[in-house]
Amino acid sequence: DGGITQSPKYLFRKEGQNVTLSCEQNLNHDAMYWYRQDPGQGLRLIYYSQIVNDFQKGDIAEGYSVSREKKESFPLTVTSAQKNPTAFYLCASRRGEYTEAFFGQGTRLTVV
Amino acid sequence: EDKVVQSPLSLVVHEGDTVTLNCSYEVTNFRSLLWYKQEKKAPTFLFMLTSSGIEKKSGRLSSILDKKELFSILNITATQTGDSAVYLCAVSNYGQNFVFGPGTRLSVLP
């Protein structure tokens, strides 16, 4: 089935460690997004990419990094520079400008 | 700065009630407004609105957009416990980004 797969579902990180969240889609979508969701809040944009080998910072990019080497894949690295990384992370993709975004099931990251 | 505001932030109703959720926005280069339902994890798509005054319906849910007054409403009639969720409003701008509101948490009691 076509869709977006995020892994892992749950991730625990020690302070000072970098971790990478995976996002893969087989929908042939050009645009991909990473959002962060904190309890009781909406989604905030971390990074987005509209085409392979190109990506742009969103509203809260500090402490995060991404790559887009393949159309299907848009991994997010949470670096040790991110001061408060505990949150729910959602990846999304979209075919074009006047279409909806499809979301993965999310990764819940906890710093221990 | 682009902004989306939703109201109320939280709502508790009983089964069978009708609810109206509000979304207002200030976005440059508006392209579309979208509604999503988020129950546990992934938001699921409900509606996309691009033109003013044209109602979109799906079963007991309906939505309409007013581009002059910069708002949209989502109506749910004859609510059921399965409608309990967070309803997110998002606006798409020229850069193909989405700006999300904080969501309305709807609780439907039996």
Side-chain angles (χ1 to χ4, degrees):
Chain A
D1 284 2
I4 302 179
T5 302
Q6 288 187 242
S7 62
K9 287 188 171 56
Y10 299 94
L11 186 57
F12 296 88
R13 189 194 94 171
K14 291 183 180 178
E15 286 194 24
Q17 282 183 338
N18 293 355
V19 291
T20 297
L21 283 58
S22 171
C23 178
E24 303 276 334
Q25 55 100 357
N26 60 3
L27 299 167
N28 200 33
H29 288 172
D30 285 314
M32 296 188 74
Y33 307 83
W34 274 106
Y35 292 94
R36 170 180 171 141
Q37 188 174 33
D38 293 285
Q41 298 191 28
L43 279 60
R44 291 186 290 166
L45 182 65
I46 305 173
Y47 269 97
Y48 66 100
S49 168
Q50 296 186 9
I51 196 168
V52 174
N53 291 323
D54 186 50
F55 48 83
Q56 306 295 328
K57 291 182 179 180
D59 300 320
I60 55 166
E62 186 175 349
Y64 300 97
S65 66
V66 294
S67 63
R68 186 87 186 274
E69 297 176 2
K70 299 186 300 182
K71 188 175 187 178
E72 302 79 19
S73 179
F74 191 40
L76 173 74
T77 296
V78 184
T79 75
S80 57
Q82 170 49 236
K83 298 305 177 193
N84 185 21
T86 295
F88 186 54
Y89 292 86
L90 282 162
C91 178
S93 72
R94 186 186 197 189
R95 188 177 73 242
E97 192 172 15
Y98 288 96
T99 63
E100 72 270 30
F102 292 84
F103 285 86
Q105 291 298 306
T107 293
R108 189 166 300 280
L109 173 63
T110 304
V111 173
V112 296
Chain B
E1 183 182 331
D2 293 345
K3 187 168 67 172
V4 175
V5 177
Q6 292 185 246
S7 64
L9 295 180
S10 181
L11 188 57
V12 181
V13 301
H14 287 91
E15 272 193 317
D17 289 347
T18 293
V19 298
T20 297
L21 310 183
N22 304 294
C23 175
S24 62
Y25 62 90
E26 294 175 25
V27 172
T28 53
N29 296 308
F30 173 91
R31 287 294 183 267
S32 59
L33 184 144
L34 299 92
W35 285 97
Y36 285 86
K37 177 182 182 182
Q38 185 178 27
E39 291 180 82
K40 288 253 170 37
K41 294 185 177 177
T44 54
F45 172 73
L46 296 175
F47 298 111
M48 183 171 69
L49 305 155
T50 56
S51 302
S52 276
I54 299 175
E55 186 183 47
K56 294 224 172 174
K57 284 179 72 81
S58 177
R60 296 177 292 103
L61 278 65
S62 64
S63 183
I64 197 162
L65 173 68
D66 185 328
K67 288 169 74 173
K68 181 180 176 187
E69 300 297 330
L70 308 183
F71 79 89
S72 172
I73 60 172
L74 174 68
N75 278 322
I76 308 175
T77 60
T79 51
Q80 302 171 357
T81 54
D83 295 326
S84 295
V86 175
Y87 289 84
L88 296 167
C89 174
V91 175
S92 176
N93 60 20
Y94 177 71
Q96 286 208 57
N97 294 330
F98 294 98
V99 180
F100 280 85
T104 293
R105 181 173 297 278
L106 174 65
S107 299
V108 181
L109 304 178

